[in-house]
Amino acid sequence: MPRFLTGTRTGLLASAVAAALAMTAAGPATAAPKPDVRFMAHLDIAEGQRPENITLEPGGSAVVTFAYSRQVARIHSDGRVHVLATLPQPPVGARTPALSSPFLGGIVRAHDRTLYFLYATGSSDLTGLWRLRPGGTPQRIAALPADGLPNGLALDRHEGRLYVADSVLGTVWRVPVTGGAPTRWATAPELAAAGFLGANGIKVHNGAVWVSNLDKGTVLRIPVTRYGTAGRVETRATGLVDIDDFAFTGRGNTLLAAINADNEVALVRPGGSHTVVLTGADGLENPTSLAVRGNTAYIASGAYFTNDDPNLLAARINTAR
């Protein structure tokens, strides 16, 4: 989720417009991508197809959340889009914290093909963790605070738990895959916002929960103790302001980070240093999320303030850079 998409702050909107004009002048949508980058899909901005988060399926398709059209959709390998579910419209007067509009965030896929995703509306009847089973209809399985913004979602397949990064409350929640009352698993100053949104992307990896902080430009590691509680927060990377989602490239701690406002994907090494590996010249338009399979990264761009070409890219990444 980009820093500037609030619709209520004049200064931030002015910055967004300036950034959009700069992007247009640079011509990211018409520039030729690298030979190892290809467009998997160009999406329909008029239909609200701005992908916020992504999870991969066997066979080459991906499932995404469309942030503001309240839809979960499958993008086939040939670019076709199939809407799987549309979430209920929130009640009149409900305003999503920080964003105003109803917002569909993180999504993960379990081995049994069940999809779990987050919906934030500012209303207590809809905000929370939702589930969609194959052939079924969406169902909320855990309520989350209406004054928060559940954004990133991670699945611990071994323990059967889901972790939620709340960007407004600076909290990591934990919920069983069966649903029920959420547990406030971690809170710390490192997770808090610094003007707009804090904890954003989230992954379970190598015995820890990893979280990005959009405002502070950090990647954090929170060890899972032997008792399942949260250990002390460790800052593993800095200087990544406007980092949205991220994904690990393999079993080690090297990761790829979507830098939303700057139209970049950065390769972040275990020591915290980073290198930009993709830019707007490759077709990125405010990248929101990514997923990795083998040596290919699938990157979703929401075009939140380029307002041009929301898309899904597939890129072969050399992690030895």
Side-chain angles (χ1 to χ4, degrees), residues 12-101:
L12 294 179
L13 283 172
S15 298
V17 172
L21 290 173
M23 297 297 181
T24 302
T30 57
K34 297 181 180 68
D36 52 359
V37 180
R38 63 180 175 88
F39 286 101
M40 184 170 163
H42 294 279
L43 300 169
D44 190 339
I45 198 168
E47 293 295 322
Q49 295 180 352
R50 298 178 185 264
E52 171 61 24
N53 207 248
I54 182 173
T55 188
L56 301 180
E57 296 184 308
S61 60
V63 178
V64 301
T65 51
F66 288 143
Y68 298 108
S69 61
R70 314 190 323 276
Q71 292 178 332
V72 177
R74 173 175 293 116
I75 300 177
H76 295 270
S77 57
D78 61 2
R80 289 179 298 119
V81 177
H82 174 217
V83 174
L84 300 174
T86 301
L87 276 290
Q89 178 75 40
V92 175
R95 291 177 62 86
T96 305
L99 303 178
S100 298
S101 300

Side-chain angles (χ1 to χ4, degrees), residues 230-247:
R232 184 175 180 178
V233 178
E234 308 164 1
T235 300
R236 287 302 186 92
T238 60
L240 298 163
V241 176
D242 289 310
I243 179 175
D244 203 314
D245 191 29
F246 62 95

Side-chain angles (χ1 to χ4, degrees), residues 98-110:
L99 303 178
S100 298
S101 300
F103 171 73
L104 262 178
I107 187 167
V108 295
R109 181 183 186 274

Side-chain angles (χ1 to χ4, degrees), residues 26-288:
T30 57
K34 297 181 180 68
D36 52 359
V37 180
R38 63 180 175 88
F39 286 101
M40 184 170 163
H42 294 279
L43 300 169
D44 190 339
I45 198 168
E47 293 295 322
Q49 295 180 352
R50 298 178 185 264
E52 171 61 24
N53 207 248
I54 182 173
T55 188
L56 301 180
E57 296 184 308
S61 60
V63 178
V64 301
T65 51
F66 288 143
Y68 298 108
S69 61
R70 314 190 323 276
Q71 292 178 332
V72 177
R74 173 175 293 116
I75 300 177
H76 295 270
S77 57
D78 61 2
R80 289 179 298 119
V81 177
H82 174 217
V83 174
L84 300 174
T86 301
L87 276 290
Q89 178 75 40
V92 175
R95 291 177 62 86
T96 305
L99 303 178
S100 298
S101 300
F103 171 73
L104 262 178
I107 187 167
V108 295
R109 181 183 186 274
H111 287 310
D112 65 358
R113 300 188 295 155
T114 298
L115 297 168
Y116 299 89
F117 46 92
L118 297 169
Y119 188 34
T121 66
S123 61
S124 58
D125 59 329
L126 295 175
T127 299
L129 173 66
W130 290 66
R131 177 178 65 202
L132 178 64
R133 290 187 169 128
T137 57
Q139 174 189 14
R140 188 173 73 160
I141 62 171
L144 289 164
D147 61 348
L149 184 72
N151 194 337
L153 182 64
L155 171 62
D156 185 335
R157 300 180 189 277
H158 180 69
E159 297 293 336
R161 296 167 176 163
L162 292 148
Y163 290 86
V164 177
D166 191 311
S167 297
V168 166
L169 299 180
T171 298
V172 175
W173 302 94
R174 188 171 71 189
V175 184
V177 293
T178 53
T183 300
R184 190 184 296 268
W185 187 74
T187 56
E190 293 90 340
L191 297 168
F196 182 35
L197 299 180
N200 195 316
I202 187 168
K203 295 291 184 291
V204 177
H205 182 75
N206 286 349
V209 175
W210 298 66
V211 185
S212 60
N213 185 310
L214 184 139
D215 282 347
K216 297 178 180 178
T218 53
V219 176
L220 310 169
R221 180 182 183 271
I222 310 174
V224 180
T225 71
R226 61 184 296 184
Y227 305 106
T229 56
R232 184 175 180 178
V233 178
E234 308 164 1
T235 300
R236 287 302 186 92
T238 60
L240 298 163
V241 176
D242 289 310
I243 179 175
D244 203 314
D245 191 29
F246 62 95
F248 290 93
T249 62
R251 294 183 179 180
N253 291 339
T254 299
L255 59 88
L256 291 168
I259 311 300
N260 193 295
D262 291 337
N263 281 356
E264 294 175 349
V265 167
L267 181 71
V268 183
R269 301 171 186 85
S273 64
H274 67 273
T275 302
V276 173
V277 293
L278 294 172
T279 69
D282 298 299
L284 296 179
E285 296 214 17
N286 311 133
T288 55

